């Protein structure tokens, strides 16, 4: 479906600069081309993300223009993640207003726009089955027909070449377990343990390319000492990790979506760091009274995507991070003093940032720094992976009956009472007057 979006954009691009739509092996980046492409990101985000956030009752200004991670990935690194999250927001808004078939069409279209949202299909299915179908065969057929029609419409330009499309979308043979810059999930910790085992076990470092050699193919993403996880294992772990949240998808969609996205991020195969934006989105769309989780996760997500920024744009990225902290502090004022653990966590983030951007480049000419050129990136991935993995474990345990304190914390972090889950106040029936 995104190919159709690009085709529509191309109609406008040819009016700005005809060379934009000319196929060429060499990069083309005229000032008009750069202006048009960046303007298209802003326009699509205003069209979908800002309006979708407002329909969900969220702070549209914060979500669209106050997140350093989204501004870095979309407007500095140049991608369309805000557009996709906006479509997700509209799907949740349709569900909120009980237009479930429109929500199903929105979710199905989102999967054909960006296939990484296929990892959230269990949440979409559980939410619509519990909130809309509720055992009705007629509604089940209507839901299936709507979903299938939306998927076929999204794939219509590629129906003749579906096998080739599937190989390009799911290149398990050509992509390893982790990316060259490890996304901060469980497999970053696994790859780090593999590197430690390689060093401490005195194995020959030349036995393979491994997962830290700056490549993204299947060999480079593999393990050298520890057993190699498979795509099937990653899929099974993702589904098992999502299971506790699926029964809550109907009554508490924001919290369930957050957990399912976090599970996909934690256990997914060849996950990219930008997927952390999808984990953050439900918190922003349904921010509750407990805002510490929101502000800390927003800071951690910005920290994770900072390595995507070249040194020439580092000052701009840090300025966006400072802007985010100001916007979040004004939009969601802290309700409690910062704890010592939180201060230690923020100090660790600052220290790793200085190490990566300032200390290590100054030491790079020395033999030790040259030998361990990517050590700062490894430390960034490993520390952030510890944070995300701990957050996943806390979210997972919060769905179990024995951990009521964790459940209360996550309930307070999401606005699963009005205005998100239920219809607006004007649409609710009034309570009968007191008989007394």
């Amino acid at each position: 479906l995104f190919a159709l979006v690009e085709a529509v954009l191309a109609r406008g691009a040819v009016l700005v600069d005809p060379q934009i739509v000319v196929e060429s092996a060499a990069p083309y980046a005229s000032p008009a081309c750069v202006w048009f492409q960046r303007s298209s990101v802003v326009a699509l985000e205003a069209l979908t993300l800002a309006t979708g956030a407002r329909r969900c009752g969220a702070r549209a200004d914060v979500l669209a223009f106050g997140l350093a991670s989204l501004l870095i990935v979309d407007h500095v690194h140049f991608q369309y993640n805000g557009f996709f999250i906006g479509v997700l927001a509209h799907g949740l808004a349709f569900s909120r207003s009980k237009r479930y078939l429109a929500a199903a069409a929105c979710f199905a279209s989102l999967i054909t726009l960006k296939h990484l949202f296929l990892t959230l299909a269990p949440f979409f299915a559980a939410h619509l089955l519990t909130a809309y179908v509720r055992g009705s065969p007629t509604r089940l057929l209507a839901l299936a027909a709507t979903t299938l029609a939306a998927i076929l419409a999204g794939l219509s330009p590629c129906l003749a070449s579906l096998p080739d499309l599937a190989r390009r979308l799911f290149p398990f043979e050509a992509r390893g377990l982790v990316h060259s810059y490890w996304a901060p999930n469980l497999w970053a910790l696994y790859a780090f343990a593999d590197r430690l085992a390689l060093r401490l076990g005195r194995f020959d470092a030349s036995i393979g390319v491994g997962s830290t050699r700056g490549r993204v193919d299947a060999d480079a993403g593999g393990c050298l000492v520890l057993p190699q996880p498979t795509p099937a294992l990653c899929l099974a772990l993702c589904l098992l990790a999502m299971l506790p949240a699926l029964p809550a998808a109907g009554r508490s969609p924001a919290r369930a979506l957050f957990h399912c996205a976090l599970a996909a991020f934690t256990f997914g195969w060849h996950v990219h760091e930008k997927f952390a934006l999808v984990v953050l989105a439900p918190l922003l769309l349904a921010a509750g009274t407990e805002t510490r989780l929101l502000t800390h996760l927003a800071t951690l997500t910005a920290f994770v995507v900072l390595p995507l920024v070249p040194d020439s744009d580092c000052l701009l990225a840090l300025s966006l991070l400072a802007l985010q902290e100001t916007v979040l502090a004004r939009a969601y004022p802290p309700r409690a003093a910062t704890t010592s653990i939180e201060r230690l966590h923020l100090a660790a983030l600052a220290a790793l940032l200085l190490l990566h951007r300032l200390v290590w480049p100054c030491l790079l000419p020395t033999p030790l720094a040259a030998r361990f050129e990517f050590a700062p990136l490894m430390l960034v991935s490993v520390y952030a992976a510890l944070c995300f993995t701990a957050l996943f474990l806390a979210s997972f345990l919060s769905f179990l009956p024995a951990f009521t304190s964790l459940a209360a914390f996550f309930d307070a972090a999401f606005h699963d009472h009005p205005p998100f889950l239920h219809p607006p106040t004007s649409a609710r029936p009034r309570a009968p007057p007191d008989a007394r």
Side-chain angles (χ1 to χ4, degrees):
L1 183 57
F2 191 68
L4 294 176
V5 175
E6 289 281 14
V8 173
L9 291 175
R11 300 299 179 93
V14 73
L15 301 177
V16 175
D17 184 352
Q19 289 296 117
I20 296 178
V21 297
V22 176
E23 293 186 12
S24 172
Y28 180 73
S30 68
C33 174
V34 173
W35 174 86
F36 177 81
Q37 295 284 59
R38 295 196 181 281
S39 298
S40 70
V41 175
V42 175
L44 287 176
E45 287 189 0
L47 181 66
T48 59
L49 184 57
T51 57
R54 180 169 297 180
R55 291 184 62 202
C56 286
R59 291 289 301 266
D61 54 342
V62 175
L63 187 55
F65 307 111
L67 282 185
S69 51
L70 186 61
L71 294 174
I72 288 171
V73 173
D74 278 14
H75 301 279
V76 179
H77 193 60
F78 182 66
Q79 292 182 6
Y80 290 91
N81 296 282
F83 168 57
F84 304 133
I85 295 174
V87 176
L88 174 63
H90 277 284
L92 294 172
F94 279 127
S95 180
R96 173 198 168 200
S97 59
K98 298 188 181 300
R99 298 170 62 185
Y100 294 111
L101 294 182
C106 219
F107 294 148
S109 300
L110 179 62
I111 291 173
T112 61
L113 277 169
K114 187 74 173 177
H115 66 290
L116 70 81
F117 287 96
L118 186 61
T119 57
L120 302 182
F123 163 79
F124 297 148
H127 173 64
L128 292 170
L129 286 173
T130 54
Y132 172 66
V133 175
R134 291 178 293 182
S136 169
T138 304
R139 291 185 175 184
L140 180 61
L141 287 175
L143 178 63
T146 302
T147 303
L148 183 61
I151 291 177
L152 289 177
L155 296 178
S156 57
C158 310
L159 289 178
S161 55
L162 281 182
D164 292 335
L165 178 66
R167 281 191 293 269
R168 289 179 65 85
L169 293 180
F170 307 102
F172 296 125
E173 297 82 8
R175 291 291 183 267
L177 176 67
V178 294
H179 197 258
S180 53
Y181 165 47
W182 302 344
N185 61 3
L186 180 73
W187 304 124
L189 301 178
Y190 194 81
F192 180 66
D194 183 70
R195 299 305 298 180
L196 285 180
L198 179 66
R199 295 292 178 181
L200 299 178
R202 300 186 181 277
F203 291 93
D204 182 4
S206 63
I207 60 177
V209 237
S211 53
T212 57
R213 302 305 175 91
R215 288 168 49 187
V216 296
D217 54 42
D219 293 330
C223 297
L224 300 179
V225 179
L226 300 180
Q228 173 64 32
T230 63
L233 174 64
C234 293
L235 175 61
L237 289 175
C238 284
L239 294 176
L240 288 174
M242 292 179 188
L243 278 179
L246 296 182
R251 67 178 185 275
S252 184
R255 185 179 167 198
L257 175 59
F258 168 79
H259 179 82
C260 290
L262 185 58
F265 181 80
T266 303
F267 297 103
W269 175 272
H270 199 81
V271 172
H272 285 221
E273 63 289 329
K274 63 187 177 184
F275 192 55
L277 287 167
V278 182
V279 180
L280 179 60
L283 266 172
L284 287 159
L285 291 172
T289 57
E290 176 55 70
T291 58
R292 284 183 300 173
L293 178 60
L294 168 59
T295 53
H296 281 303
L297 187 57
T299 303
L300 182 61
T301 303
F303 174 77
V304 163
V305 302
L306 273 176
L308 298 176
V309 179
D311 291 337
S312 59
D313 293 327
C314 183
L315 182 59
L316 172 61
L318 293 178
S319 301
L320 294 175
L321 180 57
L323 174 64
Q324 169 189 281
E325 298 304 311
T326 304
V327 170
L328 289 178
R330 289 180 177 273
Y332 309 105
R335 296 176 177 270
T338 306
T339 65
S340 57
I341 294 179
E342 290 171 330
R343 289 193 293 270
L344 184 62
H345 164 67
L346 294 174
L349 293 182
L352 286 171
L353 180 61
L354 288 174
L355 177 68
H356 177 220
R357 292 293 184 176
L358 184 61
V359 176
W360 212 258
C362 296
L363 298 176
L364 196 57
T366 64
L368 181 63
R371 182 181 179 187
F372 298 100
E373 179 182 0
F374 298 106
L377 278 179
M378 177 187 289
L379 293 176
V380 166
S381 294
V382 169
Y383 179 76
L386 288 172
C387 296
F388 274 103
T389 304
L391 179 60
F392 165 76
L393 290 174
S395 179
F396 184 89
L397 293 175
S398 71
F399 286 98
L400 304 182
F403 295 88
T404 54
S405 60
L406 280 175
F409 173 80
F410 280 96
D411 284 340
F414 290 93
H415 218 181
D416 281 336
H417 46 82
F420 183 79
L421 177 58
H422 301 291
T425 306
S426 59
R428 289 188 219 147
R430 293 185 177 182
D434 194 341
R436 294 175 295 180

